[in-house]
């Protein structure tokens, strides 16, 4: 019998959330990091699984990585962290497309409804984990005053995974050999990771038997979903919400 039911969204400290992510909130609030912990975070569908997979291979036993994915409030996590935080962001258009498909396949996400309503709700921050705009912007602003924050972009990882791994190593003070780096770079490519059933979550009961978690892994798939009218409306709304011109996303590479 299927006991997992789709949750409702509710306001949780000003952010839309579902009970699956707030039920044990006191554990997150009381979290105490170990000296070698790194926190990784992202808005949903920005490549957090990819990043954690890369870090896992890079760090071996040297560093522990608590996956406090998508902590809506940075202040909760920061105080006890000594090593730092890695944040990965992805452009809004590909994020909403990926999120839409994910919500269809995941039983622990609210019912997505049709694409045009979903897009509108995303623009209003009425999806789980709230506003994409507040999330990426909040962390971007935090980065200006918090040097232990490494802010990455999904598009950069796609463009040159090796270069982004170098930057990660620099941030974490790691110095893998050239062969090791080459091996890691090859093993985290989309087609290789897609074959890994654990990453692809193909056996997890919270998913419907729909397209896999490793869906497309592309920059620019939004073009296959947005109509011209939706795109214009989205761009106009985007300009109002992302006023900080130093935060730039690429919607194609
Ligand atoms: P798509 O749905 O666009 O394919 P998260 O882990 O934060 O939920 O992000 C999931 C997104 O990252 C999915 O995007 C997934 O395919 C993509 N992804 C995961 N591993 C990847 C890889 N090795 N290369 C490119 N994209 C990857």
């Amino acid at each position: 019998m299927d006991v997992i039911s789709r949750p409702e969204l509710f306001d949780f400290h000003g952010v839309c959330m579902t009970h699956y992510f707030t039920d044990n909130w006191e554990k997150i609030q009381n979290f105490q990091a170990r000296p070698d912990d790194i926190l990784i975070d992202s808005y949903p569908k920005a490549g957090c699984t990819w990043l954690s997979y890369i870090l896992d291979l890079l760090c071996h036993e040297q560093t522990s990585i608590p996956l406090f994915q998508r902590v809506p409030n940075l202040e909760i996590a920061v105080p006890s962290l000594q090593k730092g935080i890695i944040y990965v962001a992805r452009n809004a258009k590909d994020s909403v497309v990926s999120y839409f498909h994910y919500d269809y396949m995941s039983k622990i996400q609210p019912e997505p409804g049709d694409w045009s309503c979903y897009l509108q709700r995303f623009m209003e921050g009425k999806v789980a984990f709230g506003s994409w705009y507040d999330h990426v912007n909040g962390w971007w602003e935090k980065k200006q005053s918090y040097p232990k924050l490494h802010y990455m972009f999904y598009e950069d990882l796609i463009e040159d995974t090796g270069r982004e791994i170098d930057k990660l190593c620099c941030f974490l003070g790691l110095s893998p050999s050239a062969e090791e780096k080459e091996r890691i770079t090859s093993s985290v490519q989309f087609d290789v990771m897609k074959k890994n059933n654990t990453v692809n979550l193909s056996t997890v009961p919270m998913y419907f038997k729909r397209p896999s978690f490793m869906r497309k892994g592309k920059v620019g798939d939004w073009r296959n979903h947005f109509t011209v009218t939706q795109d214009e409306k989205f761009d106009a709304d985007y300009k109002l919400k992302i006023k900080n011109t130093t935060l730039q996303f690429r919607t194609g590479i």
Side-chain angles (χ1 to χ4, degrees), residues 172-186:
L172 296 170
L174 301 171
S175 37
S177 66
E179 294 74 37
E180 203 177 343
K181 233 166 31 188
E182 182 51 45
R183 191 179 49 76
I184 292 172
T185 306
S186 322

Side-chain angles (χ1 to χ4, degrees), residues 13 29 33 56 62 74 82 89 103 107 119-120 131 146 166 169 171 176 178 202 235-236 240 245 249:
H13 303 291
Q29 282 183 303
D56 217 20
Q62 299 172 41
L74 179 67
Q82 293 176 23
D103 281 3
K107 296 177 186 176
L119 184 60
Q120 183 60 36
S131 159
Y146 187 72
D166 282 342
C169 290
F171 176 71
S202 52
D235 284 347
L240 298 175
T245 51
F249 286 91

Side-chain angles (χ1 to χ4, degrees), residues 24 26 45 47 60 68-69 81 133 177-178 200 216 247:
N24 293 317
E26 66 287 349
K45 313 319 291 171
H60 306 293
F68 262 7
Q69 196 173 0
L81 276 170
Y133 311 86
S177 66
N200 210 10
K216 281 204 178 167
L247 178 56

Side-chain angles (χ1 to χ4, degrees), residues 42-50 69-70 90 94 98-99 101 154 158 188-190 193 199 213-218 221:
S42 74
Y43 187 80
K45 313 319 291 171
C48 206
T49 309
W50 191 12
Q69 196 173 0
R70 298 148 201 160
R90 184 180 195 182
D94 283 326
S98 179
Y99 209 178
H101 287 284
Y154 178 88
I158 291 274
V188 301
Q189 295 309 306
F190 186 84
M193 274 179 65
V199 178
F213 176 84
M214 299 284 293
R215 194 183 59 92
K216 281 204 178 167
K218 295 250 181 292
D221 185 42

Side-chain angles (χ1 to χ4, degrees), residues 52-219:
S52 66
Y53 196 73
I54 293 170
L55 287 170
D56 217 20
L57 295 173
L58 266 181
C59 296
H60 306 293
E61 304 289 299
Q62 299 172 41
T63 301
S64 51
I65 311 163
L67 180 64
F68 262 7
Q69 196 173 0
R70 298 148 201 160
V71 179
N73 181 351
L74 179 67
E75 308 308 329
I76 290 172
V78 164
S80 58
L81 276 170
Q82 293 176 23
K83 264 209 146 156
I85 299 171
I86 302 170
Y87 183 78
V88 60
R90 184 180 195 182
N91 79 72
K93 292 178 183 176
D94 283 326
S95 292
V96 61
V97 166
S98 179
Y99 209 178
F100 176 66
H101 287 284
Y102 179 74
D103 281 3
Y104 258 104
M105 71 175 271
S106 172
K107 296 177 186 176
I108 63 161
Q109 289 291 101
E111 188 68 50
D114 73 30
W115 162 244
S116 88
C117 293
Y118 189 86
L119 184 60
Q120 183 60 36
R121 284 198 285 114
F122 179 90
M123 286 157 64
E124 292 168 7
K126 291 185 183 148
V127 290
F129 295 94
S131 159
W132 174 93
Y133 311 86
D134 290 349
H135 210 285
V136 297
N137 214 28
W139 285 80
W140 183 252
E141 279 171 11
K142 191 76 190 174
K143 173 184 143 68
Q144 315 313 320
S145 59
Y146 187 72
K148 285 190 287 183
L149 170 57
H150 182 59
Y151 199 109
M152 307 175 68
F153 294 92
Y154 178 88
E155 295 74 25
D156 291 349
L157 264 170
I158 291 274
E159 184 180 64
D160 191 338
T161 314
R163 179 191 63 207
E164 297 307 307
I165 288 181
D166 282 342
K167 289 189 199 163
L168 276 172
C169 290
C170 192
F171 176 71
L172 296 170
L174 301 171
S175 37
S177 66
E179 294 74 37
E180 203 177 343
K181 233 166 31 188
E182 182 51 45
R183 191 179 49 76
I184 292 172
T185 306
S186 322
S187 60
V188 301
Q189 295 309 306
F190 186 84
D191 292 340
V192 180
M193 274 179 65
K194 195 172 166 67
K195 289 189 194 121
N196 181 332
N197 276 347
T198 314
V199 178
N200 210 10
L201 302 170
S202 52
T203 52
V204 177
M206 68 189 222
Y207 293 110
F208 293 108
K209 299 225 173 317
R210 290 187 66 94
S212 63
F213 176 84
M214 299 284 293
R215 194 183 59 92
K216 281 204 178 167
K218 295 250 181 292
V219 180

